[in-house]
Amino acid sequence: MFVLITGAAGGLGRAFAVECAKRGYDLYLTDINDAGLALLKRGITGAYPVRVITRGCDLTKGDEVEALFDDVRQYGITFDMLLNVAGGDLEGGFYDRGADNLVKIVQVNVETALRVTRQVLDHRTPNGPLYIVFVSSLASFYPMPLKATYAASKTFLREFACALRQELRGQGVKILTLCPGGLMTTPEAASGIAAQGFWGDMTTNPLERMTRRTINRVLKDRSLYVPGFVNRLFRFAGALVPKPVVARLLHARWQSAQKEWLKI
Amino acid sequence: MKTVIVTGATSGIGFAVCEALLGAGCRVIGIGRTGERAAEALEKLRRSFPAADCTFYHGDLMLTSDVRRLAAELRRDLDERCGGRLDALVLNAGCVRSWYMTTPEGFEQQFALNHLSGFLLTSELLPHLTAGRGMVLITSSQSHKMMKVNWDDIFFQKRYRPLMAYKQSKLCNMLFARALNDRYADKGIRAYGIDPGLVHTEIGCKNTGGIVNFVWERRKKHGVDPSVPAQIYAGLITRETRPYGLYFGIRGEAPCSRQVTQENADRLFQLSEKLLNIEFGVQKEADTACLS
């Protein structure tokens, strides 16, 4: 099993990389952060007997993605699994951010996933299944004031993945969408979750368990994984309440959480 | 004058150890995570001990690249000012995490900081420790008892239990102390695990959430002031002779867990070497590709 992980040097990408290495899968790791990839490679090869290939790449640039897959072709690598982890948000409301930054959010969340997924279909292991995971978010189920661009881009991913799954079903492609709540990936994320208080803790998913179950589920050809009981509850509650009301409630919550967070 | 390196020196037990050592006339080199905190701690120490010889370095010990860089700086400093001798290394930096979090290398953070960072730093400073017939003091804890090393799942990836991961890292401290004595006692190095007891520090409230924070907020109030356990460290370092024994608390030597066996110690030693891809005591040239 050869796994391609995008955004591998970030907190979630690392957890996925370690989980796959533990299962004995070979890894092809890519991220914009070259130094982080080198460190992760050293750690994983020390701990697990798997092949690790790393390559720094800005996945929002079409030509860099082309070059990456030219390399892949040259080395004769074929993939059995793709984890689309690359993505993120820049803090601040719509009006506080420049247009370039707003577009950047859509680029890293949507564009990278489209580019890489399309390429991987050309570089899949022949005659075997291809497993693809899209990392969406619990935010994808709601309109999210103060995270509007981010949440909408994650909604794109979720809806897109669901449709693509049907489209490629006959060709042995299995697609799962992961919609996590908060994740303890970085010190900033940790302080952000701490600022949300009780509900921050309740909606946070343990990384080690979530990554393991995500892989288990995509192997079983599930379509959607919302980890955590409270998160599933929130998802259904959100579907019952009209969207403008949800937006008003979430706005109030984020405003107070951000105030708390900036104080720290 | 004795030269002592203290990690985690900007607050809690580490800071108190610096105070005690400076009071006893040692030369202290402290290590803190960030430049600001290191400068702050140095200023506070200078105010209490204006004539003392105290310097600070900073780096994030969770990153092996930072440990290697720090070690290179420390070696240079030791060569220049102390004739290449190190009398004691206090491995005190530690953390508590309430969630599974990984370092850039993909290691679980409590294991990485509480055990691996100290392992690597000792390895990097081994020639200087040998030259100074030095002592290695590792901040362990009573919590290392009633615990076994989870060899099959050393990072607790099956289900992360914060307290178990912490207890394991403290047991690893004892095993490392034991392994050092087994290997280097004949070269004059002695290693001890220290039981500071329950101390009033912020360890459980730094970026932890939920239950860990809640429990430690209440529990720390019953702890003693960090200056109390600091006396154990200062006592051992300034003593003329080195005691046998492995585990020291405020009342002197104490029995440690039965899990601290040569077999386990060797196993952990080899695992740590493998994880870090090093041969203990052999310093490789800094890997420039990994310096961020």
Side-chain angles (χ1 to χ4, degrees):
Chain A
M1 185 87 91
F2 221 119
V3 186
L4 171 62
I5 304 180
T6 69
L12 180 58
R14 281 195 317 251
F16 267 122
V18 172
E19 172 63 29
C20 289
K22 213 177 165 208
R23 289 167 186 250
Y25 301 169
D26 293 323
L27 300 171
Y28 194 106
L29 308 175
T30 173
D31 197 290
I32 199 165
N33 172 4
D34 261 321
L37 283 178
L39 284 171
L40 181 61
K41 178 178 181 172
R42 205 164 56 184
I44 289 181
T45 43
Y48 307 98
V50 294
R51 196 151 44 128
V52 182
I53 302 173
T54 60
R55 191 188 154 115
C57 181
D58 182 350
L59 296 173
T60 56
K61 300 215 170 91
D63 46 339
E64 286 196 28
V65 178
E66 286 285 339
L68 187 150
F69 280 93
D70 282 345
D71 250 27
V72 166
R73 203 171 311 129
Q74 212 170 352
Y75 287 113
I77 298 166
T78 56
F79 295 113
D80 307 272
M81 188 183 280
L82 163 64
L83 306 178
N84 278 309
V85 180
D89 189 16
L90 302 159
E91 273 308 320
F94 185 82
Y95 190 62
D96 304 327
R97 290 187 274 209
D100 285 344
N101 279 344
L102 291 162
V103 172
K104 188 92 196 156
I105 296 174
V106 179
Q107 278 182 330
V108 295
N109 288 338
V110 175
E111 201 182 320
T112 59
L114 293 179
R115 279 186 199 286
V116 175
T117 307
R118 180 64 192 83
Q119 285 281 4
V120 164
L121 289 176
D122 286 336
H123 295 88
R124 57 185 285 201
T125 306
N127 308 323
L130 173 67
Y131 303 99
I132 304 179
V133 174
F134 287 93
V135 177
S136 179
S137 164
L138 189 62
S140 74
F141 294 106
Y142 317 110
M144 280 256 184
L146 300 174
K147 286 177 180 288
T149 321
Y150 171 80
S153 71
K154 289 297 188 185
T155 312
F156 176 104
L157 278 186
R158 183 171 50 76
E159 299 273 335
F160 163 77
C162 185
L164 188 69
R165 180 169 185 272
Q166 186 58 38
E167 202 176 310
L168 297 177
R169 213 161 192 187
Q171 295 161 47
V173 182
K174 299 174 181 194
I175 299 181
L176 174 91
T177 314
L178 170 67
C179 297
L183 294 171
M184 284 284 179
T185 48
T186 57
E188 293 81 56
S191 67
I193 288 167
Q196 290 176 43
F198 175 72
W199 289 111
D201 274 332
M202 293 305 286
T203 53
T204 296
N205 299 115
L207 267 182
E208 78 287 4
R209 204 181 329 167
M210 191 193 78
T211 46
R212 184 176 66 240
R213 289 183 180 171
T214 302
I215 306 286
N216 284 346
R217 274 162 213 237
V218 71
L219 291 176
K220 281 193 212 146
D221 195 16
R222 298 281 179 76
S223 71
L224 182 73
Y225 176 31
V226 182
F229 177 71
V230 175
N231 290 350
R232 279 196 284 276
L233 217 61
F234 271 134
R235 181 202 156 193
F236 286 115
L240 296 176
V241 182
K243 294 258 148 122
V245 180
V246 175
R248 204 178 311 152
L249 290 171
L250 285 173
H251 191 204
R253 180 178 171 220
W254 284 121
Q255 257 183 337
S256 60
Q258 273 193 343
K259 242 180 252 157
E260 182 78 18
W261 193 59
L262 293 174
K263 207 168 58 193
I264 290 174
Chain B
M1 193 196 287
K2 286 192 169 173
T3 310
V4 185
I5 293 177
V6 183
T7 70
T10 55
S11 67
I13 297 173
F15 185 77
V17 170
C18 288
E19 287 182 313
L21 290 172
L22 290 172
C26 296
R27 174 190 287 138
V28 172
I29 303 175
I31 297 174
R33 187 161 46 83
T34 63
E36 297 96 72
R37 287 175 64 84
E40 208 177 288
L42 181 60
E43 201 192 330
K44 256 199 270 176
L45 289 170
R46 285 256 165 86
R47 231 178 288 139
S48 328
F49 304 94
D53 185 350
C54 182
T55 40
F56 263 77
Y57 289 87
H58 67 92
D60 188 347
L61 295 176
M62 230 178 248
L63 308 172
T64 50
S65 51
D66 265 25
V67 177
R68 290 198 168 93
R69 173 183 59 75
L70 270 171
E73 291 173 9
L74 291 167
R75 282 197 296 264
R76 208 172 309 134
D77 192 344
L78 291 173
D79 287 339
E80 276 168 18
R81 294 195 302 151
C82 321
R85 295 161 47 90
L86 175 60
D87 295 284
L89 174 60
V90 178
L91 300 174
N92 166 73
C95 70
V96 170
R97 289 286 177 266
S98 47
W99 302 86
Y100 173 80
M101 293 175 82
T102 57
T103 67
E105 278 154 305
F107 302 143
E108 193 272 315
Q109 290 193 354
Q110 292 195 62
F111 183 79
L113 183 61
N114 298 4
H115 168 62
L116 279 182
S117 73
F119 185 88
L120 182 58
L121 191 62
T122 313
S123 163
E124 293 278 315
L125 297 175
L126 194 65
H128 296 80
L129 275 170
T130 319
R133 298 183 70 77
M135 193 184 266
V136 181
L137 302 179
I138 312 177
T139 303
S140 182
S141 152
Q142 273 298 93
S143 69
H144 86 273
K145 295 184 174 175
M146 310 282 285
M147 184 66 202
K148 285 180 180 173
V149 179
N150 201 3
W151 295 112
D152 299 331
D153 185 22
I154 197 107
F155 299 143
F156 285 87
Q157 280 159 287
K158 260 186 211 127
R159 181 153 183 273
Y160 192 67
R161 284 168 299 166
L163 186 59
M164 291 300 128
Y166 182 76
K167 283 167 73 79
Q168 175 183 277
S169 74
K170 290 294 139 188
L171 175 58
C172 287
N173 292 151
M174 294 308 302
L175 290 172
F176 177 45
R178 165 88 198 242
L180 273 178
N181 286 338
D182 289 347
R183 282 168 178 74
Y184 298 102
D186 56 348
K187 299 205 174 73
I189 295 177
R190 286 295 304 187
Y192 303 103
I194 307 292
D195 165 32
L198 182 62
V199 189
H200 193 146
T201 69
E202 295 300 320
I203 187 166
C205 303
K206 288 176 180 166
N207 257 343
T208 58
I211 195 103
V212 173
N213 200 340
F214 180 84
V215 170
W216 188 247
E217 276 291 346
R218 275 144 195 83
R219 193 162 152 74
K220 73 178 181 190
K221 290 187 197 132
H222 304 289
V224 296
D225 190 77
S227 61
V228 177
Q231 293 313 315
I232 314 170
Y233 297 81
L236 278 168
I237 290 169
T238 51
R239 212 161 139 163
E240 285 301 314
T241 56
R242 287 136 179 250
Y244 283 102
L246 186 65
Y247 187 50
F248 283 80
I250 195 70
R251 293 186 193 84
E253 201 195 332
C256 61
S257 163
R258 262 176 300 179
Q259 286 294 316
V260 184
T261 61
Q262 190 177 5
E263 191 198 343
N264 282 338
D266 286 348
R267 195 169 172 186
L268 179 72
F269 201 85
Q270 280 153 12
L271 176 71
S272 309
E273 280 186 323
K274 188 165 154 280
L275 286 174
L276 293 167
N277 193 17
I278 59 166
E279 199 179 320
F280 195 80
V282 179
Q283 292 146 33
K284 278 193 268 185
E285 283 305 306
D287 192 346
T288 46
C290 296
L291 292 179
S292 48

